[in-house]
Amino acid sequence: MSLPPLASGPDGPTALRPLIDTVLDALRDGSRSRGGPLPEGGPQTVTARITDAVGDILPHDGDPDALRTLVHALAANSADPADPLCTAHLHGPPLATATAADLAASTLNPSLDSWDQAPAASALEALVTRALAHEIGLADALVTTGGTEANQLALLLAREAHGGSVRLVCGANAHHSLPRAAWLLGLPDPVVVPAPAGTLDPAALDEALTHLPRPLLVAATAGTTDAGLIDPLPEIAGLCAAHGARLHIDAAYGGSLVFSERHREKLAGLEAAHTVALDLHKLGWQPIAAGLLAVARPRDLAVLHHHADYLNADDDTEAGHPDLLGRSLRTTRRPDVLKIAVTLKTLGRTGLGALVDQVCARARHLAALVHDHPGFDLYDRPVISTVLFRPTHATDATVADVRRTLLHEGRAVLGRARMDGRLWLKATLLNPHTGPDDLAHLLKLVEGTTPR
């Protein structure tokens, strides 16, 4: 029996080339057979298709056509974030250049837990994290798997900076990962401040900070998952400074506005935070995962230091080998920084800013279509690229049914959000290739599924 080829090494590219062709063909054919943004039929139907395609997942003898079969099945039965009618979540279509870079990362397979496993990747990560941190006015950053890990790290750093205990204060609009992180870290239940218009109320925050015992960590949001709203960051930063509270800003969605000359002013106050969560697999067009936690004071990261002699022996560190264990709570880490670096270098600030401007403009266009349509209600003008709308006079049950009908038929992928006590359809526009005709078609699909 001959041994299967490896992806790296001198013969790796030769072995990969025909396999990549197989993958690309299967992706193309699978996407064509799907024919829309989502496979039709719902969860049970998709499960049955995958089960049939896979058959025996661990056969006695291997199947040489398994790569083609499984990639085709996955493509044919996946939600495609690049389809203009796939707008439900903060799940963006990745750039081709970033995806190609991700292939290189998987092929070389460096592990960022010690320098001798990732000499180039560790140097590249240091360059990229500092550059992105400086872009938002902070000093350094860690690579994370996304906003959830970044928020958890922010609470951990705050807890350790205050001697092992801190109380989280966040808005009712905060991401669910923040109270969950408080629970995971053994912190007291968060104090939840009202967000009556979808953003944290500064007056209510001031009242809370006046009466709560210290130490406190305030978490603000720059880009809520429900409506893409941004808390009044300058006011919140001022209140934190006045009351001696630490400030974390969850900018997992909205952080990429910094690349846009037109929209970066919406993030005024970001530079006043102690920590900021960023997520470039949202409004950054990266393959998952591509998150960061930026920090204002690099010395706060010292609490993450961990010693394992086989990875960061003292004499190796003294000899100049970088100590990578303090750059994450994870040990084995893939070089997610490569795709980010390639994107930054390929597009530059101008190119990334143009993508941000494009999706924000498309959101405004969709909002205008909804506003002018007698059969729909618009929640509000979009702040970033999220539009909430609903059929006029519809009940919440009807709104939910409309969404599920479109999902079941595989015709459109819309999200849902509850604001002002009502259920809304949510379109999050992250595809810069989406055109005005696509948006008009989306509304026609919704209109056609609404009972008259």
Side-chain angles (χ1 to χ4, degrees):
M1 174 183 173
S2 61
L3 295 174
L6 300 176
S8 58
D11 298 326
T14 301
L16 273 174
R17 198 172 303 277
L19 296 174
I20 291 172
D21 286 341
T22 296
V23 167
L24 295 178
D25 288 345
L27 287 171
R28 179 198 61 210
D29 295 343
S31 297
R32 286 176 177 172
S33 68
R34 184 184 62 241
L38 194 76
E40 64 178 340
Q44 290 184 342
T45 300
V46 170
T47 298
R49 291 192 197 119
I50 294 298
T51 301
D52 289 345
V54 171
D56 185 356
I57 192 62
L58 187 60
H60 183 271
D61 295 314
D63 178 1
D65 205 35
L67 179 63
R68 183 187 304 277
T69 299
L70 295 186
V71 172
H72 182 281
L74 191 68
N77 293 281
S78 287
D80 183 3
D83 190 292
L85 301 179
C86 190
T87 65
H89 301 286
L90 288 164
H91 173 204
L95 293 166
T97 188
T99 303
D102 218 24
L103 171 63
S106 294
T107 300
L108 295 168
N109 210 30
S111 179
L112 281 148
D113 50 326
S114 66
W115 181 87
D116 56 355
Q117 298 175 84
S122 61
L124 185 63
E125 184 175 87
L127 291 172
V128 172
T129 50
R130 282 197 297 266
L132 288 173
H134 294 167
E135 189 70 18
I136 62 174
L138 301 188
D140 198 1
L142 304 178
V143 173
T144 70
T145 54
T148 294
E149 184 187 348
N151 285 338
Q152 184 179 349
L153 273 172
L155 265 67
L156 174 63
L157 295 182
R159 186 189 73 178
E160 297 306 301
H162 290 293
S165 180
V166 71
R167 188 80 180 270
L168 172 65
V169 182
C170 60
N173 61 336
H175 193 262
H176 65 84
S177 63
L178 284 160
R180 194 178 193 193
W183 168 71
L184 283 168
L185 293 169
L187 299 175
D189 289 341
V191 176
V192 179
V193 175
T199 56
L200 193 153
D201 180 7
L205 177 63
D206 189 20
E207 177 74 11
L209 295 181
T210 299
H211 295 100
L212 287 169
R214 305 313 188 251
L216 299 171
L217 169 67
V218 174
T221 306
T224 60
T225 53
D226 278 346
L229 304 179
I230 298 175
D231 287 339
L233 302 181
E235 291 179 74
I236 294 170
L239 289 172
C240 288
H243 289 281
R246 188 177 173 101
L247 175 60
H248 170 64
I249 298 178
D250 178 1
Y253 178 12
S256 293
L257 295 179
V258 297
F259 299 120
S260 166
E261 292 297 327
R262 182 177 303 172
H263 294 285
R264 69 177 299 149
E265 65 182 22
K266 296 175 181 177
L267 296 178
L270 202 67
E271 70 287 347
H274 292 79
T275 50
V276 174
L278 301 171
D279 207 343
L280 295 175
H281 58 243
K282 291 183 171 66
L283 199 63
W285 301 280
Q286 298 300 293
I288 297 168
L292 296 104
L293 177 73
V295 297
R297 301 187 299 210
R299 65 180 180 272
D300 285 353
L301 300 177
V303 299
L304 300 179
H305 174 73
H306 186 72
H307 180 76
D309 193 65
Y310 77 105
L311 294 175
N312 60 348
D314 290 341
D315 55 325
D316 280 347
T317 303
E318 291 168 3
H321 287 216
D323 180 355
L324 303 181
L325 284 186
R327 302 293 297 179
S328 177
L329 292 179
R330 292 170 286 146
T331 303
T332 301
R333 285 196 298 123
R334 72 187 307 273
D336 288 316
V337 72
L338 177 60
K339 61 198 174 193
I340 300 172
V342 168
T343 300
L344 298 178
K345 185 72 172 175
T346 301
L347 297 182
R349 189 180 290 105
T350 300
L352 283 166
L355 293 180
V356 171
D357 291 347
Q358 179 80 343
V359 296
C360 291
R362 287 292 179 256
R364 292 195 301 272
H365 182 80
L366 176 59
L369 291 178
V370 171
H371 180 270
D372 294 341
H373 195 296
F376 292 116
D377 292 337
L378 176 69
Y379 174 73
D380 204 351
R381 287 175 54 85
V383 175
I384 307 178
S385 66
T386 299
V387 180
L388 302 185
F389 66 101
R390 54 182 282 145
T392 302
H393 307 307
T395 65
D396 284 358
T398 297
V399 172
D401 284 343
V402 166
R403 174 179 174 271
R404 283 193 293 268
T405 297
L406 292 171
L407 290 176
H408 185 82
E409 295 173 353
R411 293 196 291 167
V413 189
L414 285 164
R416 54 187 286 164
R418 188 166 294 278
M419 302 289 292
D420 291 347
R422 294 197 292 169
L423 187 65
W424 299 80
L425 296 171
K426 178 175 69 170
T428 306
L429 301 179
L430 296 179
N431 184 350
H433 293 275
T434 298
D437 291 345
D438 298 315
L439 301 177
H441 182 46
L442 178 64
L443 292 186
K444 285 188 177 297
L445 289 174
V446 175
E447 187 179 20
T449 57
T450 304
R452 300 184 187 281

